Amino acid sequence: MTAEEILQQIRARFGSEIRTSEVRRGEASVTITGDRNLEICRFIKEELGFEYLNCLSGVDWIGENEMEVAYAISSLRQPGKIILRARIPRNEPVLSSVVPLWGTANWHEREAFDLLGIRFENHPDLRRILLPEDWIGHPLRRDYQDERFVPYPWDDRKPGSVVRPTTA
Amino acid sequence: MTTVNLHLQQVKERTAESMEEMWVNMGPQHPSTHGVLRLLIKLDGEVVRECIPYMGYMHRCHEKIGENRAYVQIIPYTDRLDYLASMYNNWAYCLACERLMGIQIPERAEYLRVLIGELQRIASHLIWLGTFGLDLGNFTLFMWCFREREMILDLFEAVSGQRLNYSFMRIGGLALDVPEGWLGDVKAFLQWFKPRLPEYDRLTTDNIIWQKRIQGVGILTPEDAVSYACSGPMLRGSGIRWDLRKNDPYGIYDRFEFDIPVGTRGDVWDRFWVRRQEMEQSVRIVEQALTEIPPGPVLAPVAKKLRAPVGDIYSRVESPRGELGDYIVADGSEKPYRYKVRAPTFVNLSALPVMLPGYLVADAVAVLGSVDIVLCEVDR
Amino acid sequence: MPQIREELVARFYALFEGWGIPWIVPRLVVMLVVVSIIILFISVSAMFLIWWERKISAHIQARFGPMRVGGWHGWAQSIADGVKLLLKEDIIPTQADRPVFILAPMVVFAAALAAYVVIPFGPGLIVEDLNIGILYVIAISSLTVVGIIMAGWGSNNKYAALGALRSAAQAVSYEVPLVVSLIGPLLLVGSLSTTKIVEAQRYLWFIVLQPLAFLTYFTCAVAETNRLPFDIPEAESELVAGFHVEYSGMRFAIFFLAEYANMFTVCAIATTVFLGGWRGPLLPPWLWFLLKTFFLLFVMIWLRWTLARVRVDQLMNVAWKVLLPLAFANLGITGLLVWVFS
């Protein structure tokens, strides 16, 4: 299945959800709105047969006031790669979890939650994974301040200089 | 914060479940967690019932650092990811940038990358074999493996001046050409190394205690392996013939002849045996590269200030531990807008809670060892 | 030799009797002297063993081992280590069961010490030739387990507790084939006295008559002393250090010393029962005894540095399903042959 065919099938099925779609370096590259990401992923996995989730990474598009979750999906049985980007509003970054489809999404989504504050609905165990449990803020957001400004619960020496980072 | 409290509540409830079962903290300071990993293990006598991994003790937000550095400046940071295979991290990152920017690298650099990459794979598997020996209580194997690894480090020191964090590759090729006579040294090393593998076999493969300890333990079914996106020897141990060097060739791997060893049952033995045979295959690749290597420059003419065109790329290579991917989002500036590392051990480790339950504590150590984790890469 | 010793002791007693001092005093003095000699011997031999093990393991692993302290091949390394351990701060965890924690190393060491009473280093070179010698050794060496369980319990540490439980299970399992394998040679001698056992091997070592018993005994002995491949009570990759995880400094040193003393004991018993004890041409008897014992110790060290560790369930399987039937088969055959030929 070529990248062009993949795109056609996705377009035919989820036309209204798709913002942009193109073939880049032989890979299908799709941007969607976040509402039906689980269904599109299920379609890609079960009907197009791309059963291997390589990577899941969040991106903070602060200029457009949006968050993005990029799924890099491929298959062990056929060539071809898909990069699926789901855009969600930045002030309420909520997305359905794809853990029912791929076990590996569990930790990737926890990491996106940890570092970017993207919440995944129906995730079995959504808590911080790399940062300490009492950490405030999400460091990979573009407006996250230097760690010196993170207010520790026990530190109130310089209340004026403390910039409280956004907490989702 | 609510999720944290909820989780603590859950742990408390689980702890109170029964007096027969005991929660044991394996780590963060434990001899066989290969770094600072903490496993919360529920034991029923000696049997593991449940396992919750905690990590992040070495988290340094590699990705945030990357977002604030120019493309070239990130290379030294990639060394610190999988510090047992730094060359491969360099390669993965440089390859991603080259693909993103459309840079062609010289022929000699391609050959040297393969040559060095495969030597690095041998060194990394040697460390794994040695520490796995420690996990199973065989100390001598550890020292023997380190003896050979030391020679590879000497070779790398000769080319890069470093023994662990090489920063040897550049976007567009290599930092330097190899010194004169170095290829002969590699040949000499292979001559020494090849008879050592049967020697390791006498301590491991041929030993009945070794066999009984790891056969049929920590089984990972092919379905689970794919669902948890395991890669590298983990995936191949479960019987799936998948190696990016063959299935999605990068560099010039399509020019070399080598086999992909696979397991059949997906147990610890299969993962051990796959790595053991991969060392032989790497020797084969290095030998081929040595005969074919052409003269010429090692660095393509690239700009001092590199800018990537707007776009994103997910580029992957087959590191010794599995699929090492770099997801780079470029916004046209000198720095990546978003830079994510898909660490193979992070993903492989996520399959651990599936593999452990039902086996003994001693097996837990063997299973954890067979995943081949490097915590610096897991935590990033 | 024995005559001289008897005479010396008799004169010593007579001296005190002449002064009108009750007999308990010279008796105590003699005991103290003997115990001091044993402790001295244990310390020196254990230190030598530790140094020896480090050198052997180093050479197996393509390195040198200790080379600095003392000049010649680091001969003083163990002494330096011992001094260091003795001078270290004595740490007792706050949550530990103090009396049990403190007593545990003493119990282990006392058990190791007591077993030396019946080891025949040469003709007459024995502390007390008990007529139940072998039985005494077996009984006393089981006491070590009590100390280990005390250590595991007293530390109030999960790893220590697990290690102690493993140790108890292991000792109970391996004691049985160990004893049964020793009965074979005992049937041939008809006595439990260690001296009589050595004397019975004047023409033929029992290893020739009882090879199966020797192999069973030696395997069990390795397990009894918690050495690789049977060192699961202190498997450092699983249980960090097992029962002595909370011990440091002097108390740890005592555990360490007791471990090596136990190794010496089991190998000395193997020498006595199977390798003809002190018997041998040319060299003095005590040297022969030490040579044979240290050869067995070398085998134990060799095993440790080449093999991987077995698993708990495999350990139990080996004890109950392999070693015990073998030991019983050997016992049955020996009994039958003894009955036929006598």
Side-chain angles (χ1 to χ4, degrees):
Chain A
M1 203 184 302
T2 65
E4 195 52 51
E5 285 165 8
I6 296 167
L7 282 187
Q8 272 170 12
Q9 292 207 28
I10 297 178
R11 264 192 228 119
R13 184 74 176 269
F14 302 98
S16 60
E17 313 289 328
I18 293 175
R19 285 204 200 166
T20 62
S21 62
E22 56 177 323
V23 178
R24 201 190 287 163
R25 290 185 212 89
E27 298 168 14
S29 175
V30 190
T31 309
I32 57 167
T33 52
D35 310 335
R36 293 172 70 190
N37 69 315
L38 182 61
E39 285 164 55
I40 297 177
C41 284
R42 179 167 284 138
F43 175 74
I44 289 173
K45 184 194 173 193
E46 285 166 11
E47 293 181 33
L48 299 183
F50 286 85
E51 80 285 8
Y52 193 83
L53 177 69
N54 293 81
C55 184
L56 185 157
S57 38
V59 186
D60 179 15
W61 292 103
I62 192 166
E64 295 154 43
N65 204 24
E66 275 183 334
M67 287 281 200
E68 178 186 292
V69 172
Y71 304 90
I73 308 168
S74 68
S75 168
L76 303 184
R77 290 191 290 261
Q78 52 181 341
K81 276 181 265 180
I82 303 173
I83 291 190
L84 180 76
R85 303 185 205 83
R87 289 286 187 117
I88 38 178
R90 194 167 185 278
N91 49 12
E92 213 200 325
V94 184
L95 205 61
S96 318
S97 164
V98 293
V99 175
L101 300 177
W102 292 293
T104 180
N106 188 332
W107 283 18
H108 279 305
E109 286 180 354
R110 277 176 68 188
E111 192 190 319
F113 166 75
D114 191 0
L115 301 179
L116 281 143
I118 299 171
R119 289 201 301 280
F120 294 89
E121 275 177 346
N122 301 323
H123 187 285
D125 186 21
L126 193 65
R127 58 194 161 86
R128 288 195 184 272
I129 184 167
L130 294 177
L131 295 176
E133 286 169 353
D134 55 354
W135 193 270
I136 296 169
H138 302 285
L140 272 185
R141 291 194 169 197
R142 302 296 289 195
D143 57 355
Y144 183 81
Q145 298 290 317
D146 196 86
E147 63 267 27
R148 274 169 291 170
F149 302 123
V150 177
Y152 286 100
W154 59 87
D155 186 9
D156 53 1
R157 279 169 298 178
K158 289 180 288 179
S161 70
V162 170
V163 180
R164 181 169 276 272
T166 49
T167 49
Chain B
M1 290 300 278
T2 50
T3 48
V4 171
N5 288 336
L6 186 71
H7 174 68
L8 288 177
Q9 187 61 38
Q10 279 170 354
V11 169
K12 265 180 205 158
E13 279 167 14
R14 286 171 187 163
T15 321
E17 240 169 41
S18 129
M19 292 294 286
E20 304 289 315
E21 288 162 344
M22 170 162 76
W23 282 96
V24 175
N25 256 322
M26 237 172 102
Q29 287 87 26
H30 189 279
S32 56
T33 54
H34 298 262
V36 273
L37 171 70
R38 177 176 156 221
L39 298 176
L40 194 56
I41 287 181
K42 183 158 85 174
L43 288 183
D44 180 1
E46 288 261 352
V47 183
V48 178
R49 290 284 173 226
E50 206 179 327
C51 162
I52 309 175
Y54 288 81
M55 67 228 95
Y57 293 92
M58 284 201 277
H59 180 63
R60 53 213 182 274
C61 225
H62 177 77
E63 293 159 9
K64 187 79 175 175
I65 297 173
E67 284 174 14
N68 293 299
R69 295 286 183 283
Y71 282 104
V72 182
Q73 286 177 315
I74 297 175
I75 296 173
Y77 288 99
T78 62
D79 285 332
R80 275 88 180 155
L81 285 171
D82 178 355
Y83 52 84
L84 300 179
S86 302
M87 287 288 191
Y88 240 99
N89 297 318
N90 288 175
W91 192 356
Y93 174 73
C94 292
L95 192 72
C97 289
E98 284 153 12
R99 281 176 173 168
L100 191 63
M101 299 166 190
I103 297 171
Q104 273 292 325
I105 76 164
E107 190 79 355
R108 185 174 172 81
E110 291 277 24
Y111 271 98
L112 280 176
R113 276 188 180 184
V114 168
L115 209 155
I116 287 170
E118 291 308 315
L119 282 178
Q120 180 75 83
R121 188 183 308 275
I122 295 173
S124 171
H125 282 352
L126 279 176
I127 285 236
W128 172 79
L129 187 60
T131 50
F132 188 58
L134 279 190
D135 289 341
L136 297 184
N138 194 330
F139 292 81
T140 302
L141 187 62
F142 178 72
M143 299 304 294
W144 286 10
C145 289
F146 263 62
R147 180 183 58 192
E148 270 74 62
R149 174 182 178 257
E150 203 68 9
M151 297 176 181
I152 298 182
L153 292 196
D154 287 343
L155 288 174
F156 285 170
E157 193 183 4
V159 296
S160 68
Q162 292 275 352
R163 292 179 68 80
L164 203 63
N165 298 318
Y166 312 106
S167 305
F168 184 54
M169 302 202 183
R170 292 287 181 275
I171 298 169
L174 303 174
L176 296 162
D177 202 344
V178 295
E180 220 168 285
W182 188 78
L183 295 175
D185 291 348
V186 173
K187 237 174 242 166
F189 166 73
L190 291 184
Q191 286 310 314
W192 163 266
F193 180 65
K194 274 191 279 181
R196 296 286 92 76
L197 283 170
E199 248 176 48
Y200 301 153
D201 281 348
R202 291 223 306 276
L203 273 186
T204 58
T205 326
D206 302 346
N207 186 313
I208 188 158
I209 295 178
W210 184 276
Q211 291 169 5
K212 294 280 173 200
R213 269 303 297 276
I214 60 179
Q215 280 173 350
V217 166
I219 291 175
L220 181 70
T221 60
E223 293 77 38
D224 276 340
V226 173
S227 169
Y228 281 88
C230 295
S231 50
M234 286 273 282
L235 188 64
R236 293 194 280 279
S238 292
I240 297 173
R241 199 174 289 274
W242 177 261
D243 190 320
L244 291 174
R245 293 175 293 172
K246 277 259 198 247
N247 298 80
D248 185 13
Y250 52 95
I252 49 164
Y253 270 116
D254 42 2
R255 298 185 200 171
F256 297 104
E257 261 180 42
F258 59 97
D259 303 326
I260 308 171
V262 288
T264 46
R265 286 159 299 184
D267 55 3
V268 177
W269 170 269
D270 277 344
R271 297 195 270 277
F272 154 72
W273 187 235
V274 163
R275 289 195 179 95
R276 157 71 183 76
Q277 286 179 307
E278 270 182 19
M279 285 198 259
E280 270 172 14
Q281 299 303 325
S282 294
V283 169
R284 270 179 77 187
I285 297 175
V286 173
E287 278 176 339
Q288 291 171 49
L290 276 176
T291 56
E292 295 167 14
I293 190 162
V298 292
L299 187 62
V302 289
K304 279 260 158 60
K305 274 192 174 177
L306 284 166
R307 282 170 202 276
V310 179
D312 61 349
I313 187 166
Y314 176 73
S315 155
R316 52 190 185 168
V317 300
E318 181 77 27
S319 95
R321 286 170 182 76
E323 177 182 322
L324 176 58
D326 283 87
Y327 180 68
I328 299 179
V329 181
D331 60 351
S333 69
E334 292 162 21
K335 302 171 184 171
Y337 185 78
R338 172 83 167 95
Y339 161 56
K340 157 140 183 153
V341 180
R342 188 260 196 210
T345 50
F346 177 76
V347 180
N348 288 349
L349 187 64
S350 70
L352 188 69
V354 186
M355 290 191 282
L356 278 190
Y359 296 105
L360 301 172
V361 194
D363 295 331
V365 173
V367 174
L368 180 64
S370 76
V371 178
D372 190 12
I373 48 169
V374 173
L375 263 298
C376 267
E377 191 183 50
V378 174
D379 294 344
R380 274 162 295 148
Chain C
M1 193 86 176
Q3 294 79 13
I4 301 168
R5 200 186 64 161
E6 301 274 305
E7 207 180 307
L8 267 176
V9 173
R11 271 196 201 166
F12 190 69
Y13 283 142
L15 192 67
F16 276 81
E17 218 172 348
W19 293 339
I21 294 168
W23 62 273
I24 189 92
V25 176
R27 185 120 201 156
L28 268 176
V29 171
V30 169
M31 272 168 69
L32 271 178
V33 169
V34 170
V35 167
S36 311
I37 292 171
I38 292 180
I39 289 184
L40 198 70
F41 178 77
I42 290 180
S43 314
V44 172
S45 67
M47 278 184 189
F48 174 73
L49 257 180
I50 291 167
W51 173 82
W52 206 44
E53 168 146 32
R54 290 180 66 172
K55 292 306 272 190
I56 291 173
S57 67
H59 284 280
I60 287 176
Q61 297 174 347
R63 53 192 178 90
F64 285 116
M67 286 298 283
R68 309 254 165 171
V69 187
W72 185 80
H73 284 265
W75 65 270
Q77 183 66 47
S78 306
I79 300 169
D81 285 347
V83 170
K84 180 203 75 176
L85 283 173
L86 289 179
L87 293 179
K88 270 180 118 173
E89 188 192 348
D90 179 28
I91 299 170
I92 299 175
T94 44
Q95 296 299 309
D97 190 337
R98 274 185 78 93
V100 180
F101 187 86
I102 293 169
L103 265 178
M106 300 184 196
V107 172
V108 171
F109 191 69
L113 187 69
Y116 276 69
V117 168
V118 291
I119 295 177
F121 289 93
L125 213 58
I126 182 171
V127 177
E128 191 65 67
D129 186 12
L130 298 176
N131 54 1
I132 52 157
I134 293 292
L135 185 66
Y136 169 82
V137 170
I138 290 163
I140 285 293
S141 65
S142 310
L143 268 182
T144 315
V145 183
V146 179
I148 288 176
I149 289 181
M150 283 167 77
W153 178 258
S155 303
N156 194 8
N157 178 312
K158 286 173 184 173
Y159 285 117
L162 267 178
L165 288 178
R166 280 179 169 195
S167 180
Q170 183 175 339
V172 169
S173 310
Y174 276 86
E175 204 90 323
V176 183
L178 183 113
V179 174
V180 176
S181 67
L182 278 179
I183 297 178
L186 294 182
L187 279 180
L188 298 178
V189 184
S191 166
L192 285 167
S193 152
T194 46
T195 319
K196 291 227 173 70
I197 292 172
V198 175
E199 274 161 9
Q201 301 177 68
R202 187 171 297 133
Y203 305 109
L204 200 58
W205 292 359
F206 283 161
I207 189 173
V208 184
L209 297 173
Q210 300 273 329
L212 198 59
F214 175 72
L215 286 178
T216 324
Y217 172 82
F218 197 67
T219 316
C220 295
V222 174
E224 274 286 293
T225 46
N226 299 337
R227 301 271 301 177
L228 261 167
F230 303 110
D231 74 333
I232 57 159
E234 50 200 67
E236 61 267 297
S237 62
E238 297 148 32
L239 300 182
V240 192
F243 61 88
H244 57 59
V245 65
E246 293 286 1
Y247 284 87
S248 61
M250 193 177 68
R251 291 178 213 286
F252 173 75
I254 291 176
F255 271 122
F256 212 59
L257 211 61
E259 195 185 314
Y260 280 87
N262 272 332
M263 270 172 73
F264 188 89
T265 315
V266 292
C267 286
I269 296 298
T271 310
T272 311
V273 179
F274 295 101
L275 296 184
W278 66 73
R279 295 196 171 277
L282 297 174
L283 299 172
W286 60 271
L287 192 58
W288 267 114
F289 185 84
L290 286 184
L291 277 179
K292 289 171 184 174
T293 309
F294 272 89
F295 171 73
L296 288 180
L297 285 166
F298 168 74
V299 175
M300 273 175 109
I301 293 169
W302 187 13
L303 283 178
R304 171 169 178 190
W305 296 101
T306 19
L307 294 180
R309 181 182 300 123
V310 299
R311 211 165 49 206
V312 183
D313 54 331
Q314 292 166 346
L315 181 95
M316 293 299 162
N317 282 347
V318 169
W320 294 106
K321 294 184 186 164
V322 181
L323 293 177
L324 193 59
L326 275 181
F328 268 119
N330 181 65
L331 177 62
I333 294 165
T334 315
L336 203 67
L337 290 179
V338 168
W339 179 69
V340 167
F341 285 106
S342 61

